[in-house]
Amino acid sequence: MDKSKSSYYRLARYVYIVILTMLVVIGVIVVTVSSAMYKNEKLTELQDTGNLFIGCIKEEYKKEGRIDSKLMHDFHGALLKEKNIEAFIYDADGNCVVSPNDYEIELSSGKFNFSKSTKDPEPLSDSMLEALEDDYYLELDKNGYSKNEPRLTYGRRIFLKTDDSGIPVRMYAVFYGVTNSINSFILKITLYYLLIALVIAIAAYLIIRRRMKKLESYEEEFLRIAAMYAKGNFSETISTDFDGGMKEIAEYVNALASNIENSEDTSKTFIANVSHELRTPITTVGGFVDGILDGTIPKARQNEYLVLVSKEIHRLKILISSMLNMTKYESGSLVPNFREANITDLVIQTVLMFEKKIEAKQLDVFGLDSGRLNVYIDVDLMQQVIYNLVENAVKFVDQAGTLVFRFDKTEEWYEIGIKNTGEGLKDSEIQQVFDRFYKTDSSRGKDTTGLGLGLSISRKIVHLHKGHIVVKSVYGEYTEFIIQLPIIDKKPKQ
């Protein structure tokens, strides 16, 4: 089987695509959140440093009345050199009064390169002035001082005053920090996550691949054995050494295959039995008729042989009716033709058909003189039931045994009981005796021509009459079959 056509292969592909998509989404979230957190940390660091510088400016202005003293020069230079932070002081109109351009600073890092020749910084923009009027500004600025490169920006409105004057001077302090560390952090966290995601993706691939190989192997084996089943070969069973729903599916398929195999065996046996059952009476009838026609059988005994022919023909009729009725019942087309009839007389007529066999076995028969029961039944179908039960009773009764018939009426049922002494049935046999084609172990030797259809079709016919058929037996003593038909006052609906 082409693996690309396997349902498991397609499932694995979809699962892996989902895993990769989730890794990408999680990666974007992780990098974005981590970068935002790191950026906020750097902004907070810039804000703390700026507040420290502003505090120093206020103290210096308070003492000296100026902010361009040597101390401030040194502090400003150290801030630029050590922290890579540029500090700008603007007056109330937004014009720069102090900037890194005011200092001779040698920078080994080369990150900033300000000198006296550098042009003066531009005044604060109106948007920045407006933002600083709300006390302070803290953001990654892309449109302000550094238009070519985003900078961490912290701006704050300050008021300076001396000890001698109580009138504060409004000014603005703005600090710019480089984003190199943020870019480096984003690059590192991205690389780290890509490495972790790569390991997860490879591990997921190996796990899924290993699992899919097992599933694909199981699917191939499943299809191979299923193909054998389709060809009628049931020599192998599908492995159930699997978890989840596949185990149940395999068990159901195995059970179905077993049932089909048993059904085929049963059908073969059925065909063989039917062939034998039909051939025997046909051969007998043909032999008798030929004997009468060619004069082998003398005229004085022709009536005797014609009676035998009649019985064999009746036996064929019962057999064919059983098979036809079984087929009709299973197709749902068997519809009883109810009418009121005396079921006691029906039983008596059926027993008389076995008169010679009863005499041959020297049987005692009791109960046929019971009161008559008039019930609504399909006479032909019910006669078939009674015939099957009487035939079994006569066939399996012990020599010089007893047949007992009873006809009772309870609050719910008419009951017809047919009981014979003899070997009886085991408990395990009672549970299967109504199964189609079933024969007990003991009956196989005594009944070599029976099909095992009689009790099965009898139960179905009784069910069509809304009744029940039950069996009672004590092994080694007796067996009794009881037909229960519902008590009704009028003809039932078809």
Side-chain angles (χ1 to χ4, degrees):
M1 182 184 70
D2 186 0
K3 291 186 177 181
S4 62
K5 295 180 180 180
S6 170
S7 57
Y8 293 115
Y9 176 83
R10 293 194 294 269
L11 176 62
R13 183 174 57 188
Y14 294 147
V15 170
Y16 198 67
I17 291 174
V18 171
I19 291 175
L20 292 179
T21 303
M22 291 179 62
L23 287 174
V24 171
V25 173
I26 293 174
V28 171
I29 295 174
V30 168
V31 172
T32 302
V33 172
S34 300
S35 301
M37 293 176 63
Y38 189 77
K39 182 192 75 171
N40 292 335
E41 181 182 343
K42 288 299 179 181
L43 285 172
T44 301
E45 182 180 333
L46 176 65
Q47 184 181 25
D48 293 340
T49 303
N51 288 336
L52 177 61
F53 185 77
I54 290 172
C56 294
I57 290 177
K58 287 183 176 181
E59 289 295 325
E60 186 67 16
Y61 189 83
K62 184 176 181 181
K63 293 178 180 180
E64 304 293 336
R66 50 185 292 193
I67 59 174
D68 58 350
S69 64
K70 185 178 183 307
L71 178 63
M72 294 306 301
H73 283 200
D74 294 341
F75 186 43
H76 202 167
L79 190 66
L80 182 60
K81 187 175 182 180
E82 301 298 332
K83 298 288 188 178
N84 290 324
I85 296 176
E86 302 170 86
F88 294 82
I89 306 298
Y90 297 89
D91 60 18
D93 296 325
N95 297 314
C96 184
V97 296
V98 177
S99 73
N101 296 342
D102 299 332
Y103 308 102
E104 293 288 347
I105 301 174
E106 295 180 2
L107 297 176
S108 60
S109 65
K111 292 181 180 178
F112 297 111
N113 186 17
F114 295 98
S115 65
K116 289 293 185 182
S117 61
T118 305
K119 66 179 183 178
D120 293 334
E122 297 180 357
L124 284 176
S125 63
D126 293 338
S127 60
M128 180 61 79
L129 283 173
E130 183 178 354
L132 294 179
E133 286 300 322
D134 294 332
D135 194 16
Y136 75 92
Y137 176 85
L138 183 64
E139 192 53 74
L140 180 64
D141 187 19
K142 300 179 181 180
N143 301 314
Y145 163 71
S146 54
K147 294 183 179 180
N148 296 327
E149 180 184 354
R151 294 288 181 87
L152 298 171
T153 304
Y154 172 57
R156 181 177 169 184
R157 183 182 60 184
I158 60 176
F159 293 94
L160 304 177
K161 63 179 180 177
T162 63
D163 291 338
D164 300 334
S165 174
I167 301 175
V169 178
R170 185 177 65 177
M171 304 190 80
Y172 302 98
V174 182
F175 304 88
Y176 296 100
V178 294
T179 57
N180 297 28
S181 61
I182 296 178
N183 296 332
S184 177
F185 176 81
I186 293 175
L187 179 60
K188 288 180 180 179
I189 194 68
T190 301
L191 291 176
Y192 288 152
Y193 182 79
L194 286 176
L195 180 61
I196 294 172
L198 180 61
V199 172
I200 294 175
I202 293 174
Y205 173 78
L206 293 177
I207 293 172
I208 293 174
R209 182 183 177 188
R210 181 179 178 183
R211 182 66 173 175
M212 287 305 108
K213 278 189 174 182
K214 184 177 179 181
L215 290 171
E216 287 172 358
S217 176
Y218 186 80
E219 185 179 43
E220 289 180 3
E221 185 71 4
F222 194 105
L223 290 175
R224 183 184 68 81
I225 297 177
M228 291 174 55
Y229 290 169
K231 295 176 182 179
N233 183 356
F234 303 98
S235 59
E236 295 185 47
T237 58
I238 300 172
S239 172
T240 57
D241 186 18
F242 217 81
D243 297 328
M246 286 303 300
K247 180 177 181 179
E248 293 186 11
I249 293 174
E251 289 175 347
Y252 286 136
V253 172
N254 286 336
L256 179 61
S258 178
N259 290 338
I260 293 174
E261 184 178 20
N262 293 335
S263 178
E264 286 189 351
D265 293 341
T266 303
S267 297
K268 292 176 182 178
T269 303
F270 171 71
I271 292 172
N273 288 342
V274 167
S275 299
H276 181 75
E277 187 79 358
L278 290 176
R279 184 170 59 249
T280 300
I282 289 175
T283 301
T284 302
V285 169
F288 291 163
V289 171
D290 289 341
I292 292 173
L293 292 176
D294 62 18
T296 304
I297 299 175
K299 291 185 177 181
R301 300 191 61 189
Q302 285 183 2
N303 286 339
E304 177 185 349
Y305 281 94
L306 286 175
V307 171
L308 295 176
V309 168
S310 176
K311 288 184 177 181
E312 291 299 328
I313 292 175
H314 184 77
R315 178 182 170 190
L316 280 174
K317 178 183 176 183
I318 293 293
L319 174 63
I320 294 172
S321 295
S322 295
M323 291 186 290
L324 290 177
N325 287 336
M326 178 69 76
T327 303
K328 289 180 180 179
Y329 184 90
E330 292 180 347
S331 66
S333 60
L334 182 59
V335 180
N337 180 23
F338 292 106
R339 63 183 178 86
E340 189 175 17
N342 188 325
I343 198 167
T344 307
D345 288 344
L346 195 61
V347 172
I348 294 172
Q349 293 171 12
T350 305
V351 171
L352 291 176
M353 296 171 64
F354 296 91
E355 183 177 2
K356 286 194 175 182
K357 290 184 178 181
I358 291 173
E359 291 177 353
K361 281 194 171 185
Q362 300 176 349
L363 303 180
D364 291 327
V365 180
F366 300 96
L368 292 180
D369 56 348
S370 301
R372 282 12 182 184
L373 292 181
N374 291 322
V375 296
Y376 281 101
I377 55 174
D378 182 307
V379 175
D380 292 335
L381 291 178
M382 192 54 61
Q383 184 178 25
Q384 186 176 340
V385 173
I386 296 170
Y387 182 92
N388 290 333
L389 296 180
V390 173
E391 182 183 37
N392 281 345
V394 173
K395 188 181 298 181
F396 299 113
V397 68
D398 53 345
Q399 184 68 27
T402 302
L403 296 180
V404 179
F405 298 87
R406 66 179 180 87
F407 304 87
D408 296 326
K409 180 179 180 182
T410 67
E411 293 182 358
E412 298 181 61
W413 308 102
Y414 293 112
E415 291 189 350
I416 300 93
I418 302 174
K419 177 180 179 181
N420 68 308
T421 58
E423 187 175 350
L425 298 173
K426 300 176 183 178
D427 291 341
S428 60
E429 293 173 339
I430 292 176
Q431 298 174 3
Q432 303 177 69
V433 73
F434 290 106
D435 293 345
R436 187 170 59 169
F437 305 126
Y438 176 77
K439 285 187 175 185
T440 64
D441 293 336
S442 61
S443 70
R444 297 181 191 277
K446 300 177 182 178
D447 182 19
T448 57
T449 61
L451 301 178
L453 277 176
L455 293 179
S456 178
I457 188 62
S458 295
R459 182 173 63 174
K460 297 180 187 302
I461 291 174
V462 172
H463 285 175
L464 282 176
H465 286 73
K466 309 301 180 184
H468 303 286
I469 181 170
V470 295
V471 57
K472 296 180 180 179
S473 182
V474 175
Y475 187 67
E477 296 185 16
Y478 73 90
T479 301
E480 181 180 20
F481 285 88
I482 303 170
I483 302 172
Q484 295 178 325
L485 300 175
I487 297 176
I488 53 178
D489 297 329
K490 59 181 180 179
K491 181 179 179 181
K493 295 181 179 179
Q494 301 295 330

